[in-house]
Amino acid sequence: MGLVAAANLSARLGHCSLALQERIELALSKVGLPTRIPKHLSPESLLKAMGSDKKRLAGQLRFVLLREIGQAFVTDAVPDPAILATLQEVSQ
């Protein structure tokens, strides 16, 4: 689920193509891994919980995003509205 969300957020921010998310999602589905956030977890509550994530640095959330398969990078330049939109889109 997290990998699909990272690919979605990466595409939303213009770092990769939406086709990358589709490719990742298909590969994960083929091996039986979950690709969607369960509906009982609201995007708003997830965003709030992310505020205490261990990857925070100096009060900023850090994200591992993608440019392509094997080309990941870490950034904290991610606006909350983009995070929320991604959580909404990858929820069931």
Side-chain angles (χ1 to χ4, degrees):
M1 292 179 282
L3 186 53
V4 172
N8 179 282
L9 186 57
S10 299
R12 182 177 306 283
L13 297 173
H15 298 298
C16 72
S17 70
L18 187 56
L20 180 62
Q21 176 190 340
E22 295 165 354
R23 182 176 166 198
I24 289 169
E25 196 165 343
L26 179 63
L28 295 174
S29 293
K30 282 185 176 183
V31 296
L33 293 172
T35 59
R36 296 288 170 193
I37 297 168
K39 59 184 168 189
H40 70 276
L41 299 172
S42 77
E44 294 79 11
S45 66
L46 288 173
L47 181 59
K48 184 177 178 183
M50 290 169 72
S52 60
D53 189 274
K54 66 181 180 253
K55 293 184 292 286
R56 285 182 60 173
L57 182 65
Q60 290 284 87
L61 280 172
R62 293 184 301 162
F63 292 86
V64 178
L65 298 181
L66 307 169
R67 289 194 176 93
E68 186 53 71
I69 300 293
Q71 295 180 9
F73 66 100
V74 178
T75 184
D76 62 4
V78 181
D80 283 353
I83 300 166
L84 187 56
T86 285
L87 292 172
Q88 290 167 337
E89 191 169 322
V90 299
S91 292
Q92 291 181 340

